[in-house]
């Protein structure tokens, strides 16, 4: 992003590179959210500047040979994290990697059980970082992590809505694993929450 200075320019580059790589179309409109815009889920304006010192969150996917993809990445616009940005990013990355490691067609693991695991990991991590107070209930996580860990993926980005998320994963299924944290103004209530205000991080991978 050092030469791409606006959200719209990054979105255009994503669409161009997807088309040049053989994609038939985008799977959904790209989300390119710089700075505090990353704390808004499904931000689609893509109309702001990308400012040094901020991070940018990108959620994108394309369709190739009839199948959809869906990934998210977050990185610092200038190429270097601030300490708070690095701490939040590392926590999200740790939860992403842990949940991918847990995803298995073992007859017991489901999208719902993976989500529950991600909430527990975030609860401990957010208290450790001081974003949540030490006595925060488990339910406090949802104010900073207001979406599911993942969804099924296939011919459509959410394929398919009528398959319950509590059924065990099976071989051949494809899911997303997309933990994220979004610290809006006044959120968290912990002793260090203020240092993280305005930061949003999501890391999403497609897992088969």
């Amino acid at each position: 992003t050092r030469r791409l200075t606006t959200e719209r320019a990054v979105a255009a580059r994503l669409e161009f590179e997807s088309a040049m790589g053989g994609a038939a179309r985008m799977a959904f409109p790209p989300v390119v959210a710089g700075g505090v815009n990353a704390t808004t889920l499904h931000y689609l304006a893509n109309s702001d500047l990308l400012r040094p010192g901020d991070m940018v969150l990108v959620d994108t996917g394309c369709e190739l040979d009839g199948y959809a993809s869906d990934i998210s990445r977050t990185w610092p616009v200038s190429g270097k994290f601030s300490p708070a940005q690095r701490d939040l990013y590392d926590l999200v990355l740790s939860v992403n990697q842990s949940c991918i490691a847990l995803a298995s067609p073992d007859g017991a693991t489901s999208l719902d059980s993976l989500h529950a695991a991600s909430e527990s990991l975030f609860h401990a991590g957010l208290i450790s970082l001081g974003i949540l107070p030490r006595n925060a209930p488990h339910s406090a996580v949802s104010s900073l992590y207001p979406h599911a860990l993942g969804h099924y993926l296939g011919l459509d980005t959410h394929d398919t809505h009528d398959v319950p998320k509590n059924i065990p994963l099976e071989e051949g299924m494809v899911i997303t694993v997309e933990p994220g944290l979004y610290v809006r103004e006044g959120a968290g209530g912990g002793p260090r929450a203020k240092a993280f205000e305005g930061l949003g991080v999501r890391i999403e991978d497609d897992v088969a």
Side-chain angles (χ1 to χ4, degrees), residues 24 27 39 65 86 107 126 132 134 138 144 172 184 190 197:
T39 64
D65 298 332
R86 168 59 75 181
L126 288 164
L132 288 178
R134 291 198 174 276
H138 192 274
L144 299 156
R184 307 193 79 164
E197 285 186 357

Side-chain angles (χ1 to χ4, degrees), residues 14-36:
L14 289 167
E15 295 190 43
F16 171 78
E17 295 293 349
S18 295
M20 293 300 292
R25 62 189 64 82
M26 302 306 288
F28 53 90
V31 172
V32 182
V36 70

Side-chain angles (χ1 to χ4, degrees), residues 8-196:
R8 192 174 305 282
V10 174
R13 182 65 177 266
L14 289 167
E15 295 190 43
F16 171 78
E17 295 293 349
S18 295
M20 293 300 292
R25 62 189 64 82
M26 302 306 288
F28 53 90
V31 172
V32 182
V36 70
N37 296 332
T39 64
T40 299
L41 291 184
H42 305 300
Y43 170 84
L44 289 174
N46 295 350
S47 59
D48 209 347
L49 296 174
L50 297 177
R51 299 172 178 85
D54 284 345
M55 293 188 293
V56 56
L57 187 159
V58 169
D59 189 345
T60 190
C62 61
E63 293 186 7
L64 179 66
D65 298 332
Y67 287 89
S69 59
D70 183 5
I71 64 169
S72 297
R73 292 292 185 267
T74 309
W75 66 89
V77 172
S78 65
K80 185 176 181 179
F81 287 108
S82 72
Q85 290 170 350
R86 168 59 75 181
D87 285 345
L88 198 69
Y89 181 90
D90 283 350
L91 175 55
V92 175
L93 179 61
S94 174
V95 173
N96 170 274
Q97 292 174 336
S98 294
C99 289
I100 289 174
L102 290 171
S104 172
D106 57 10
T109 303
S110 65
L111 276 172
D112 278 352
S113 71
L114 290 173
H115 180 75
S118 71
E119 285 188 315
S120 295
L121 292 166
F122 271 145
H123 184 250
L126 288 164
I127 290 174
S128 178
L129 288 179
I131 298 174
L132 288 178
R134 291 198 174 276
N135 63 349
H138 192 274
S139 59
V141 172
S142 63
S143 65
L144 299 156
Y145 175 39
H147 59 76
L149 174 74
H151 54 82
Y152 302 113
L153 183 68
L155 299 177
D156 197 1
T157 308
H158 290 257
D159 191 4
T160 173
H161 292 287
D162 57 1
V163 176
K165 291 187 175 182
N166 62 355
I167 64 172
L169 299 177
E170 300 178 14
E171 288 190 19
M173 286 183 171
V174 182
I175 62 170
T176 67
V177 173
E178 51 181 300
L181 291 172
Y182 317 89
V183 190
R184 307 193 79 164
E185 185 177 356
R192 296 190 62 234
K194 194 78 175 174
F196 295 88

